[in-house]
Amino acid sequence: MLRIAVPNKGTLSRPAAEMLREAGYRQRSDERDLVCRDEANDVEFFYLRPRDIATYVGSGDLDLGITGRDLLVDAGSPAEELLDLDFAGAEFRFAAHPATITAVDQIAGRRVATSFPGVVGRYLTDRGIPAEVIRLDGAVENAIRLGVADVVADVVQTGATLRQAGLAVIGEPILTSSALLIGRDSVAAPPVAQLVRRLQGVLVARRYVMLAYDVRADLLDQATTLTPGIESPTVSPLHREGWVAVEAMVLRSDVHKIMDELYDLGARAILVTGIHNCRL
């Protein structure tokens, strides 16, 4: 039975469970449950602290896990990224009072407070910047005001919290993170390959829609330039002479622009259908 770690709480928990359900796997019905067995798919899910998942997978005690890239790097685990799940995106940045530090190389010899010492320590070591890394469990933006550190490293989305603390972002992102499926030495196993295919199907279904429309046959080449599909569009003759029906997958983010362009070209009966899942 395949053993998979799933985040039990936090920002990763609900999206991970929803994605697994969309991929056809049973999930726990009670958030207090620590284990869920999916007999139909021969999988057992273990609900663990997100910070611990990379450790369990890296040690080989569990086959796979869903966690953040930040947590994987921070753990220093030998587990590997198998698939980017495209949710829970985040950037890690340095920040400090703009009057004291304005560039990353100025961090040398300073104290850096962070909840992710593994991520920060690796970044500084790779760049040959000597600094003292101080681990805090949260609210690191207060560390400078309280005299604990000279620099902080934390997740930055809008930067509003840092600005409220009188801090400014320094340099480029330390790390760009998102949710991952991680594993170790088991990628070729059939149950793992099946899980990856299913999750890839969910990702494609979320990014694409099916677009169908009718267009004059003499405009088909122009129309299919707008809707080339994944491999190629499906084209069928209509009973109305000189017209064809076209179906193609298009990016959800582009669909309204494409519909407008098709209408201006002369296409009609333009319909959009959601994709629940797929295998490509």
Side-chain angles (χ1 to χ4, degrees), residues 8-35:
N8 66 342
K9 59 183 179 180
T11 57
L12 293 170
S13 177
R14 188 180 297 275
E18 289 176 354
M19 193 167 195
L20 288 166
R21 285 193 186 95
E22 289 180 43
Y25 294 94
R26 180 188 171 206
Q27 291 295 288
R28 61 181 179 176
S29 56
D30 189 330
E31 291 187 356
R32 294 170 295 183
D33 292 343
L34 300 179
V35 181

Side-chain angles (χ1 to χ4, degrees), residues 14-165:
R14 188 180 297 275
E18 289 176 354
M19 193 167 195
L20 288 166
R21 285 193 186 95
E22 289 180 43
Y25 294 94
R26 180 188 171 206
Q27 291 295 288
R28 61 181 179 176
S29 56
D30 189 330
E31 291 187 356
R32 294 170 295 183
D33 292 343
L34 300 179
V35 181
C36 174
R37 292 173 66 89
D38 182 349
E39 302 285 355
N41 290 297
D42 203 27
V43 177
E44 192 169 21
F45 295 100
F46 294 83
Y47 298 89
L48 305 171
R49 290 178 68 245
R51 191 172 282 276
D52 295 336
I53 288 174
T55 300
Y56 280 103
V57 175
S59 67
D61 293 296
L62 294 177
D63 302 304
L64 302 169
I66 293 176
T67 191
R69 181 177 290 110
D70 52 349
L71 296 170
L72 174 62
V73 173
D74 199 58
S77 168
E80 299 176 350
E81 300 184 18
L82 303 185
L83 183 65
D84 191 323
L85 301 178
D86 198 28
F87 66 85
E91 281 189 348
F92 283 78
R93 310 288 290 264
F94 289 115
H97 285 304
T100 59
I101 300 174
T102 57
V104 171
D105 58 3
Q106 295 173 357
I107 295 173
R110 310 274 188 154
R111 299 166 299 165
V112 183
T114 182
S115 300
F116 292 82
V119 171
V120 175
R122 176 176 170 177
Y123 180 92
L124 294 172
T125 299
D126 289 348
R127 286 155 183 78
I129 301 173
E132 179 186 356
V133 179
I134 300 169
R135 176 172 181 167
L136 298 176
D137 285 335
V140 298
E141 61 273 4
N142 290 323
I144 297 176
R145 180 181 299 171
L146 296 173
V148 174
D150 308 298
V151 185
V152 299
D154 202 8
V155 176
V156 176
Q157 293 178 332
T158 65
T161 303
L162 293 175
R163 287 193 295 272
Q164 288 174 1

